[in-house]
Amino acid sequence: MALSSRRAVAPSALVAVPSLWMALAGNAPLWRALQVRGLLEAKSGWLLAATLAGMLAAGLFALLSLLAWRPALKPVLVLLLFASALAAHFMWTYGIVIDSSMAANTLQTDWREALGLLSPRLFVVVLLAAALPSWLVWRLPVAHRPWKQQALRNAAGSVGGVAVLAGLLLLSFQPLASTMRNHKDLRYLMNPFNTLYAAGQTAFGGKRIQGDLAPLGLDAHVAAPAPGSRPRLLLLVLGETGRSGNFGINDYARDTTPELARAGAATFRNAWSCGTSTAASVPCMFSNLGRAGFTARAQDSENLLDVLQHAGLAVLWIDNQAGGCKGVCDRIPTADTSRGKDPRYCAGGECHDEILLAGLDERIASLPEARRRLGVVVVMHQMGSHGPGYAQRSPPAFKRFLPECTSSHLPDCGQEELRNAYDNTIAYTDHVLGSAIGWLQRRTDYDGALLYVADHGESLGEKNLYLHGLPYALAPDVQKHVPWITWLSPSFQQRTGVTLACLRRHADAHVTHDNLFHSVLGLMQVATSAYRLSLDAYAGCGPH
């Protein structure tokens, strides 16, 4: 039976209770962070937490009071309750923070990737923290006033909320300022203001890239192979979520990369990423600007793949990740294996990375012959070690480390199980790379080379952090330290003067994604004004 009008509540009351609920329950990750940092140990610490909770509740009350109109109030409250619950769950579970880059990652996440984040605990959190409160909000009758009176009440409520917030800020300014100065990541945990700010930055406040795509490397060219010599073929494998420290070739305690070791591949053990997510790293690492220049750019420009095409080379992008190439491959031939049906590789609705090599000869043969005669670059974008479903990334035959974590709710797993699941993905990547090297060795019509670089790293529970995507300045090294592995055929070494023996002597050289653009041009011996010898990671072993 409908509630009588005598039980209807004022809009301000309907605003107050959800504001307090979101400030308290929705900020469980913030309270845990304060405890972990030892900020709650003293009596003043609990006072700080209480002040923060009051400020968050007052701020929400001030904001929602402005929206306390009949058509908007309940939908806005329901939307915020769900946003708050979801943000709290993911921040608590994976140790992430919410900023504009995380908002952008969310918007670009494929539905199949999103399914991997679903868990029974998520449904329980959403049910208790969002669905049930939303049902109560929607069911409760509200006594709205005529619009002039309501406008005055809304304004008064907002002013009152701001006044309370300001008063609490003044009372606790010194300890609050010190805490925020020394623990900058806490501001990204203030729910749901972090989500609202990140969404606003993504939609309206982000850096605006002006104008059309700027051309790059229009002067690029390569010399035609001499009579009797062969064109070059580079497999550029774009790894996903690779932790440098978990690769056996990088002196990891476990032998996760036996096939790369047998092939004699060389590694740069001190390699670092452009970003901590695919959306941030991939466009940056294929740019000529470097991380600092890419972040500060005022205009987008063509990238490495465009320059290779300008040089007359045959270029192909093969994607086994539904998230795609983030715009990098928009102007070159592409193939998508992530929706393949080959039963050898695609059981369970996801294709394992060996499918990248299936039919590769035919794909290359379909590229223009005139370009193939000058050289070929194939980019293979892996599914790699994408979390949280690490167990899904490796076939049964490559599960060398057991027992492994099979849950998408990673805190449910012990550290050893989680490491086993992740290391199995690296062991499988090793097999994919070893198979790619074997394929190159069989292609006697090309001088072959393989370059593997991951887009970013991963947290596996260290300091209660999981997955990746933290702001670069706050992210731990494991989210930024990536593998960079090179294999060159004997004929490729002879042609370029870059030898694996020399690269091994430079294994500890510092390299970053800033070097990728120029290093690939150097390997393919593309001459262009866009090339910088000083940024070519292989120049120290070349004939320059």
Side-chain angles (χ1 to χ4, degrees):
M1 186 173 68
L3 297 177
S4 70
S5 59
R6 288 177 296 178
R7 297 177 61 186
V9 299
S12 58
L14 188 62
V15 165
V17 175
S19 295
L20 187 60
W21 170 253
M22 287 184 279
L24 293 174
N27 280 281
L30 176 60
W31 314 137
R32 182 179 67 176
L34 292 174
Q35 182 182 28
V36 168
R37 288 159 176 77
L39 298 174
L40 299 182
E41 293 178 359
K43 183 182 297 185
S44 59
W46 288 102
L47 181 61
L48 172 66
T51 302
L52 270 174
M55 291 172 62
L56 290 167
L60 279 170
F61 185 84
L63 174 64
L64 292 171
S65 291
L66 295 175
L67 303 173
W69 300 96
R70 187 185 302 275
L73 180 56
K74 288 186 177 182
V76 168
L77 284 174
V78 169
L79 181 63
L80 269 186
L81 284 165
F82 274 90
S84 175
L86 288 169
H89 168 78
F90 289 114
M91 288 190 294
W92 179 277
T93 302
Y94 301 115
I96 66 169
V97 300
I98 307 295
D99 68 340
S100 57
S101 63
M102 187 62 70
N105 294 338
T106 302
L107 291 174
Q108 296 182 33
T109 297
D110 178 79
W111 68 268
R112 285 178 290 180
E113 295 178 11
L115 286 177
L117 296 170
L118 301 182
S119 67
R121 189 169 308 211
L122 172 60
F123 287 108
V124 171
V125 169
V126 170
L127 176 65
L128 297 180
L132 182 58
S134 294
W135 177 78
L136 293 172
V137 164
W138 206 265
R139 187 169 181 268
L140 199 63
V142 181
H144 289 278
R145 301 280 180 161
W147 76 268
K148 289 185 179 180
Q149 295 180 34
Q150 192 62 56
L152 290 173
R153 288 173 178 264
N154 290 356
S158 184
V159 170
V162 171
V164 172
L165 190 156
L168 291 171
L169 178 61
L170 289 173
L171 287 173
S172 61
F173 180 79
Q174 196 62 41
L176 186 62
S178 175
T179 299
M180 293 302 161
R181 183 169 57 250
N182 295 324
H183 305 280
K184 295 181 179 179
D185 59 316
L186 293 178
R187 70 190 67 179
Y188 297 108
L189 296 174
M190 294 183 180
N191 191 26
F193 288 107
N194 53 355
T195 303
L196 294 174
Y197 181 78
Q201 279 287 98
T202 302
F204 307 109
K207 182 178 178 61
R208 300 301 177 194
I209 306 301
Q210 302 295 325
D212 296 329
L213 197 69
L216 178 68
L218 296 178
D219 61 342
H221 62 280
V222 294
S229 63
R230 299 176 298 188
R232 296 176 185 82
L233 169 58
L234 173 65
L235 293 185
L236 174 53
V237 183
L238 177 55
E240 170 63 45
T241 317
R243 284 168 55 116
S244 178
N246 288 64
F247 278 67
I249 198 172
N250 289 334
D251 298 329
Y252 184 40
R254 285 178 165 177
D255 186 14
T256 53
T257 55
E259 294 193 39
L260 286 171
R262 285 196 296 270
T267 181
F268 287 125
R269 289 189 286 259
N270 192 19
W272 299 85
S273 69
C274 244
T276 62
S277 67
T278 303
S281 278
V282 171
C284 178
M285 65 195 292
F286 281 85
S287 166
N288 69 317
L289 299 174
R291 181 173 176 271
F294 188 81
T295 302
R297 74 197 187 284
Q299 181 182 16
D300 275 328
S301 66
E302 294 180 328
N303 60 63
L304 171 62
L305 304 184
D306 298 297
V307 177
L308 294 171
Q309 282 213 132
H310 293 328
L313 300 173
V315 187
L316 174 65
W317 180 288
I318 308 176
D319 217 315
N320 195 38
Q321 191 176 138
C325 68
K326 310 306 179 186
V328 169
C329 65
D330 286 354
R331 294 164 298 282
I332 68 165
T334 61
D336 183 3
T337 62
S338 68
R339 293 173 172 82
K341 304 298 182 184
D342 192 322
R344 294 174 297 172
Y345 312 117
C346 302
E350 177 181 305
C351 295
H352 290 122
D353 283 331
E354 283 176 279
I355 198 172
L356 289 164
L357 295 168
L360 185 54
D361 295 283
E362 292 77 12
R363 295 189 195 279
I364 291 176
S366 68
L367 299 173
E369 182 182 358
R371 289 183 172 274
R372 286 188 280 121
R373 284 200 298 264
L374 292 179
V376 180
V377 176
V378 178
V379 183
M380 301 195 301
H381 187 193
Q382 287 186 293
M383 191 63 177
S385 304
H386 198 294
Y390 305 119
Q392 300 173 35
R393 308 288 99 88
S394 58
F398 293 90
K399 296 190 181 299
R400 296 168 48 195
F401 308 105
L402 296 170
E404 67 172 0
C405 173
T406 58
S407 172
S408 61
H409 190 264
L410 300 182
D412 287 345
C413 299
Q415 276 294 302
E416 190 67 12
E417 290 180 330
L418 184 55
R419 185 169 74 121
N420 288 344
Y422 182 84
D423 284 351
N424 286 333
T425 70
I426 304 302
Y428 181 57
T429 287
D430 172 67
H431 174 68
V432 173
L433 297 178
S435 300
I437 291 171
W439 177 86
L440 285 167
Q441 290 171 327
R442 294 190 295 272
R443 287 297 302 242
T444 57
D445 49 343
Y446 288 99
D447 294 332
L450 178 140
L451 169 56
Y452 167 84
V453 185
D455 55 354
H456 54 77
E458 186 87 328
S459 287
L460 295 176
E462 301 91 353
K463 298 182 180 179
N464 207 37
L465 298 177
Y466 297 88
L467 304 179
H468 54 268
L470 284 176
Y472 200 87
L474 303 176
D477 284 351
V478 290
Q479 293 191 24
K480 298 180 285 191
H481 190 194
V482 294
W484 180 314
I485 297 167
T486 310
W487 177 87
L488 309 173
S489 67
S491 58
F492 197 101
Q493 296 177 64
Q494 184 177 6
R495 287 276 302 279
T496 62
V498 179
T499 68
L500 290 174
C502 179
L503 291 177
R504 293 188 197 103
R505 292 194 296 271
H506 290 79
D508 293 318
H510 178 80
V511 298
T512 73
H513 280 166
D514 292 8
N515 299 106
L516 182 67
F517 177 95
H518 308 278
S519 301
V520 171
L521 293 181
L523 283 178
M524 297 305 293
Q525 295 188 325
V526 174
T528 170
S529 58
Y531 170 77
R532 295 289 179 269
L533 177 65
S534 61
L535 291 173
D536 185 342
Y538 301 108
C541 289
H544 304 290

